[in-house]
Amino acid sequence: MVMVPATTPKILIVDDDFGVRNLIYRFLSRKYQIESAADGKTALSLFEQFNPALVILDWNLPDLNGYSLCQEMQGRTNVLVLILTSRTDEADKIKILSAGADDFMTKPFSLAEVEVRVEALLRRIRYINPSPTQRVIFKQLAINPEGREVTLNDRPLALTALEFNILHFLASHPNQAWSRPQLIQKIWGCDYVGDGRVVDVHIGQLRKKMEVDASIPEFIKTVRGYGYKFEAPDENTSGFNP
């Protein structure tokens, strides 16, 4: 039996396929603290007790679907989620990313790929838990990085960890255009190995939650042929507050 230090990252594996679950468990337990579950109900119970930094989650479970389980877990903590799926359709990939997943792997996959994806995601903890910084306030939008809270017109917005990171980063650099590769490097980390379209998917989700009309965004503008920028409202009364 391999003993790992108590300070090593915790990973929860959720897959109803015993072979897949056991294989990943045995492989990752050499370096990480691991728990596993075969269904969504057990996974949620373990999630509360174990408090993992990363969940490796099968998209198709016997009792709960991956979409709802991913959102439920990320609604409780800033946990990273890596989805396992056998689906290859474009629409399915977009749905997985829209659920708030940080990355996904298509079955079958190699253990070497698992290791690379896990290491890359865990290095992102520094982005999800940044050191306290200034509040960002523009007109009716307020972003509090310490509490990781966003309010718009005095109403709280329910954002995933990634959505918050994207919004806070862009709003901290108002009117500055960023390319998709730049955003991936700044927010996901330069070692991100997932799908580059993840930027567009999460920007789209942000707009649905923030904008009156997502097709005519007020805050996050598309810079055609390049990327995105946060456009500070003309009548903003303040920018950065301590």
Side-chain angles (χ1 to χ4, degrees), residues 148-223:
R148 295 185 65 81
E149 299 166 335
V150 178
T151 57
L152 180 61
N153 296 319
D154 296 321
R155 298 182 63 181
L157 293 182
L159 303 183
T160 67
L162 267 173
E163 289 166 358
F164 180 91
N165 290 346
I166 293 168
L167 177 60
H168 182 252
F169 178 79
L170 289 174
S172 297
H173 304 83
N175 302 316
Q176 181 175 343
W178 298 87
S179 68
R180 291 170 180 81
Q182 285 175 328
L183 288 172
I184 286 177
Q185 182 179 20
K186 295 290 186 180
I187 298 167
W188 279 260
C190 60
D191 47 16
Y192 178 71
V193 293
D195 195 313
R197 290 165 297 181
V198 68
V199 175
D200 300 322
V201 172
H202 289 291
I203 292 287
Q205 292 299 108
L206 259 175
R207 285 173 169 169
K208 289 179 183 178
K209 296 178 180 181
M210 294 180 63
E211 306 287 356
V212 175
D213 184 348
S215 65
I216 311 174
E218 176 185 358
F219 297 102
I220 300 177
K221 304 282 191 176
T222 299
V223 181

Side-chain angles (χ1 to χ4, degrees), residues 98-148:
S98 298
D102 298 274
D103 199 0
F104 65 88
M105 290 193 303
T106 303
K107 298 179 180 179
F109 47 78
S110 68
L111 290 176
E113 182 182 7
V114 172
E115 185 171 36
V116 169
R117 296 292 184 100
V118 166
E119 288 179 352
L121 283 171
L122 289 175
R123 279 193 286 268
R124 279 192 44 216
I125 290 176
R126 65 180 180 272
Y127 298 100
I128 290 182
N129 298 296
S131 57
T133 54
Q134 294 176 315
R135 287 168 55 90
V136 181
I137 301 175
F138 286 104
K139 203 176 177 181
Q140 70 272 40
L141 176 69
I143 306 170
N144 176 13
E146 289 189 351
R148 295 185 65 81

Side-chain angles (χ1 to χ4, degrees), residues 1 7 13 25 28 44 48 71 90 94 133 149 177 189 203 216 224 228:
M1 181 178 178
T7 54
I13 303 165
Y25 184 104
L28 293 181
L44 283 175
E48 291 292 338
Q71 293 201 318
E90 182 84 5
I94 291 174
T133 54
E149 299 166 335
I203 292 287
I216 311 174
R224 185 170 296 181
Y228 299 96

